[in-house]
Every structure is written in C-alpha cells, then in structure tokens.
Amino acid sequence: MKDFSDLTEQELLALAVSLEEEDARIYDEFATGLRENFPESAKVFNALAAEENGHRHRLIELYRQRFGEHIPLIRRQDVRGFVQRKPVWLIRPLSLETVRQQAELMEAETKRFYTRAARRSTDAAIRQLLGDLADEERRHEARAEQLESRLVTPQVREQEHASERRLFVLQVVQPGLAGLMDGSVSTLAPLFAAAFATHETWQTFLVGIASAVGAGISMGFAEALSDDGSLTGRGSPWLRGLVCGVMTAVGGLGHTLPYLIPQFWTATAAAAAVVVVELGVISWIRNRYMDTTFLAAAFQVIIGGLLVFATGILIGSA
C-alpha cells in the first residue's frame, strides 16, 4: 500500500481512471438493482454512470497524451486514505435510501480526491482537468437532484414509496409478525399448564423461559432456511431469521416474566394481562401492515390465543 503523497502524476491519473471505472460500474449496479422496484430512480443512476464514463474517457485521453498507451492498474485499496465501502450494491433487493446515502459518500470521496490531486499536480493540463473534475463532482449532487425532479414525479415518488413499504413488509414485518404470533400463542399452553400443575412461580418461569428461547431458535432457523430471497424478493435470509427468532422469543418472554413475582395468583393475573396486550399488538400490526381489518384480525388472533390459553389451563389442572 502506498501513501497518497508519494504518488506521481502518472500514478494519480491512473488512479483517477480506476476510480471512475469503479464508480461507473457501481452506479450501473445500483440502477440494475433498483430497476425492478424503482424504475425511475434507476434512470437517475444510469445517467450518473454515463457521466462517470465521460470523466473516464477524458482522463484516458489526457493520460495517453502525457504517458502513452499503457495505464498501470492502481486501485483505491492500493492507496492509504480511502474509506472502505460496504458492498451494498450486492444486496438484493436494494433499499432506495441506502443507495442514495452510498452515492452521496462516493461523490464526496471522489471530490476530495480530485481536489487533493489537483493541488499536488505541477502539470498545467493535468491540474486543470483534475480541478474541473472536482468541480463537476461538486455539481453531481445538484445534477442528481435535477434528474430526480425530472424523472421522479410526485406520482412516481408515491409509487416508489409504496414499493419501499412493500419491501419493508416482506423483509421485516412478515417474519417479525410470524415470530411474535408464534411466541405469544404457542408458548401459552406449556406456560399455563406448568403454572396450574405446580402452582410454583419459579418452576413456571423456567418452563416459560425454555419455551420462549427454544421457540425463538427454532423459528429463526426455519425462517432463515425457508428461502434465500432471490426469487421472492424477501431479502437476506439471515436478517429475516434474526427478526423472526428475536420476535418469537420476545412474544414468549412477555407473559413469562410476570412469574418472577412470588405470589402465584398475582403473577398469573399479570401474565394473563400481558397476553391480552400481546394479542392486541398482533391485531394492530396485522391491521396496519397486512391490510386486515382490526376486528377481523382481533377475532382471528384472540380466538386462537384463548383456545391455546384454555388448553394449557385444562391440561395443567387435570
């Protein structure tokens, strides 16, 4: 790895060519990743990729005039001082906000590079081109805003917002809701069966903890292994698995924690109250994100929850 201050003018130009090639390809990947869900925003990144290719052509032309045909391969990771970029362009489906933030960071870094490189150059033509490119990078943000205002109309923005919401539902809400429902409902029977069989709060607490954690691990792996998201658009399987597993454990722990109260009937009353709150939250989430009316969601969830609740009590009291 070499220090930026040690680069020759030939190496600076070669590095600039490499940076523009990389940025153009990244913008093209952004456009490809956004095209399915955000087609108009994808056009903005196609235009930015075309501008970066234009910069590359100007740099190569000047390099050929000064140093000949061979351009040494000098990459950003070969020079100290560049920020390591996370490969967000490899994630499918892409988040629109994540892509925009990454693009802003790329433009800021490239602008800083051209500004510093122009100051170090003693060749008038090279210094002029690098300075011009630094100015153009400063104008890229305004250029992107102009393209976005022209291509992304209010109607298109509304459609893209709907697409973003749909991706959020697919990647976070659905696995989280599945986990919360499983954790809140499936752990009711063993918890209350243990409670009414033993009438001991600590033993009931241990059964509840085991049920919640075990269900969380099981649901997390089941969700992560269900599909890789490449065809369904549901995103990273491990993220979905984590969300599902954590929410399953949370659902089970909610009505388990009251059994830390030493008095059995007080703990049981508190646990029952928590169950009512949990079922209400699940009904609200289904109404908010799954286009289910609140009454229908409440009826489905509460009836199922009460049946499992009653099953646990009957078995524990037998």
Side-chain angles (χ1 to χ4, degrees):
M1 187 174 290
K2 198 170 184 179
D3 287 328
F4 180 83
S5 58
D6 295 332
L7 296 178
T8 65
E9 290 186 331
Q10 181 180 4
E11 291 170 336
L12 283 173
L13 275 185
L15 177 59
V17 170
S18 177
L19 291 177
E20 294 293 354
E21 285 179 345
E22 181 180 351
D23 287 356
R25 295 187 67 178
I26 291 173
Y27 284 141
D28 188 59
E29 289 293 332
F30 284 164
T32 301
L34 294 173
R35 190 166 294 122
E36 180 179 356
N37 295 304
F38 312 105
E40 297 305 320
S41 289
K43 293 178 182 178
V44 174
F45 287 100
N46 277 328
L48 291 175
E51 288 199 9
E52 300 294 358
N53 277 322
H55 295 173
R56 179 173 60 88
H57 292 156
R58 291 161 62 187
L59 287 164
I60 291 175
E61 182 179 352
L62 181 58
Y63 185 95
R64 183 183 291 117
Q65 293 173 6
R66 288 292 188 272
F67 305 108
E69 294 294 329
H70 174 70
I71 302 177
L73 178 58
I74 303 177
R75 302 162 299 177
R76 60 196 315 279
Q77 56 264 39
D78 300 327
V79 180
R80 290 189 181 89
F82 283 96
V83 178
Q84 293 299 315
R85 297 174 181 171
K86 295 181 180 180
V88 297
W89 52 90
L90 299 179
I91 301 172
R92 295 292 187 276
L94 280 175
S95 162
L96 191 57
E97 186 60 30
T98 300
V99 168
R100 285 173 175 163
Q101 290 176 358
Q102 182 71 14
E104 289 177 3
L105 291 175
M106 289 167 56
E107 295 297 336
E109 186 179 48
T110 305
K111 176 187 67 178
R112 186 166 58 251
F113 163 74
Y114 281 132
T115 301
R116 291 184 60 195
R119 289 173 185 160
R120 291 196 59 248
S121 178
T122 57
D123 184 290
I126 294 177
R127 183 167 187 151
Q128 179 180 352
L129 177 58
L130 294 177
D132 290 344
L133 291 178
D135 289 337
E136 290 184 25
E137 294 295 339
R138 291 189 186 95
R139 292 194 295 268
H140 260 192
E141 185 175 357
R143 170 67 172 154
E145 290 176 356
Q146 292 172 359
L147 287 169
E148 190 167 358
S149 64
R150 179 168 59 85
L151 296 173
V152 186
T153 63
Q155 181 180 3
V156 170
R157 193 179 298 277
E158 184 176 346
Q159 293 172 351
E160 292 191 343
H161 177 71
S163 295
E164 190 85 1
R165 183 178 184 274
R166 185 170 62 252
L167 290 176
F168 176 72
V169 170
L170 282 173
Q171 297 172 24
V172 178
V173 175
Q174 282 188 355
L177 180 60
L180 186 60
M181 290 180 64
D182 185 86
S184 299
V185 176
S186 68
T187 58
L188 289 177
L191 179 75
F192 286 100
F196 282 85
T198 65
H199 282 76
E200 295 183 7
T201 57
W202 180 246
Q203 298 300 324
T204 302
F205 174 76
L206 293 179
V207 171
I209 289 289
S211 299
V213 174
I217 295 172
S218 175
M219 285 291 289
F221 275 100
E223 178 63 34
L225 298 174
S226 62
D227 70 78
D228 62 4
S230 59
L231 295 178
T232 60
R234 298 178 67 209
S236 168
W238 296 112
L239 173 61
R240 295 196 327 269
L242 178 64
V243 170
C244 185
V246 169
M247 293 307 296
T248 301
V250 168
L253 290 173
H255 45 255
T256 296
L257 292 177
Y259 280 98
L260 289 172
I261 301 172
Q263 293 76 23
F264 174 76
W265 288 110
T266 302
T268 300
V274 171
V275 170
V276 173
V277 172
E278 289 173 343
L279 297 179
V281 169
I282 292 171
S283 301
W284 179 84
I285 294 174
R286 294 193 66 191
N287 170 251
R288 175 71 174 80
Y289 291 102
M290 310 305 290
D291 297 325
T292 305
T293 64
F294 185 80
L295 289 178
F299 179 79
Q300 295 166 3
V301 172
I302 291 175
I303 292 299
L306 290 178
L307 288 174
V308 177
F309 179 78
T311 299
I313 294 176
L314 288 174
I315 293 174
S317 301

